[in-house]
Amino acid sequence: MSDKLIKKLEKEGRIRKQKVGAIQVEGLLRQAILDLKEAKKILNIAERATYLLAYMAMLKAGRALLLLKGYLPDDGGQHKTVVELTSAILGDKFRNLTEQFETMRRKRNEMTYEAGTLLSISEAQKAFSDTISLIQEILKEVKAQNPQLELELDLDEK
């Protein structure tokens, strides 16, 4: 993670340091996994709802990652800040995935604030698939710092 980026975002008031316990990080990840389980149930019948649930799962997992690193978004553009820092933390190896996170953020904004935004079933399916990949990577990061975490991304569990 870039110290320069952290200092810049702190100076701009976009993030602040936050002491947090493993319980908060785990709680956000559990919610992200629950969102994905619900998205899976409607994947082929409700593309808009699937897309929005997948995005919310990504956002919650990204927030968990920021908390893990000791930061919390603290501005009016929290979603954008979460996407930007998630990208910085995961690094270039996951650039395509974090770019998709940014694309989903923008599309979610369009769907929320503009009438007539189109969304295909293939976009919803890709969002769902990419969300799984991002959450898996964030779980690896969290487990690297907190090996006793037993949380798994199992979409078949009840």
Side-chain angles (χ1 to χ4, degrees):
M1 180 168 56
S2 165
D3 288 337
K4 186 177 178 180
L5 176 62
I6 294 295
K7 287 184 189 334
K8 174 184 176 268
L9 294 176
E10 282 182 309
K11 185 177 179 181
E12 292 173 355
R14 292 178 56 199
I15 61 171
R16 65 179 160 86
K17 289 186 179 189
Q18 177 73 34
K19 289 189 182 213
V20 68
I23 291 171
Q24 290 93 340
V25 172
E26 185 176 345
L28 280 169
L29 290 171
R30 284 189 188 285
Q31 288 180 5
I33 291 168
L34 180 60
D35 286 348
L36 266 182
K37 286 179 181 181
E38 290 176 358
K40 182 181 178 185
K41 290 177 184 176
I42 59 172
L43 181 60
N44 295 309
I45 56 172
E47 59 271 0
R48 293 175 63 81
T50 298
Y51 194 91
L52 293 171
L53 280 167
Y55 174 75
M56 290 308 297
M58 266 192 180
L59 182 66
K60 289 171 185 173
R63 288 180 67 88
L65 184 62
L66 269 60
L67 283 173
L68 179 74
K69 300 298 183 179
Y71 294 96
L72 194 63
D74 194 33
D75 65 346
Q78 290 189 21
H79 290 220
K80 185 173 178 122
T81 300
V82 169
V83 172
E84 190 173 345
L85 267 177
T86 298
S87 180
I89 292 167
L90 294 180
D92 286 341
K93 183 177 176 187
F94 298 97
R95 181 175 305 280
N96 287 342
L97 200 51
T98 56
E99 284 176 355
Q100 176 63 6
F101 190 7
E102 172 61 12
T103 298
M104 288 174 66
R105 183 192 69 78
R106 289 179 183 178
K107 185 80 165 194
R108 195 252 354 157
N109 277 355
E110 288 175 19
M111 291 168 59
T112 302
Y113 301 113
E114 297 176 22
T117 302
L118 300 177
L119 181 79
S120 69
I121 190 75
S122 63
E123 283 178 291
Q125 291 168 338
K126 179 166 178 29
F128 180 77
S129 174
D130 288 342
T131 301
I132 291 170
S133 298
L134 184 74
I135 290 176
Q136 286 173 330
E137 193 51 40
I138 290 173
L139 279 170
K140 286 180 195 172
E141 284 280 325
V142 171
K143 288 180 180 184
Q145 286 193 3
N146 187 5
Q148 65 271 23
L149 179 71
E150 295 181 11
L151 191 58
E152 299 293 330
L153 180 58
D154 182 1
L155 297 179
D156 293 324
E157 118 189 353
K158 299 290 178 202

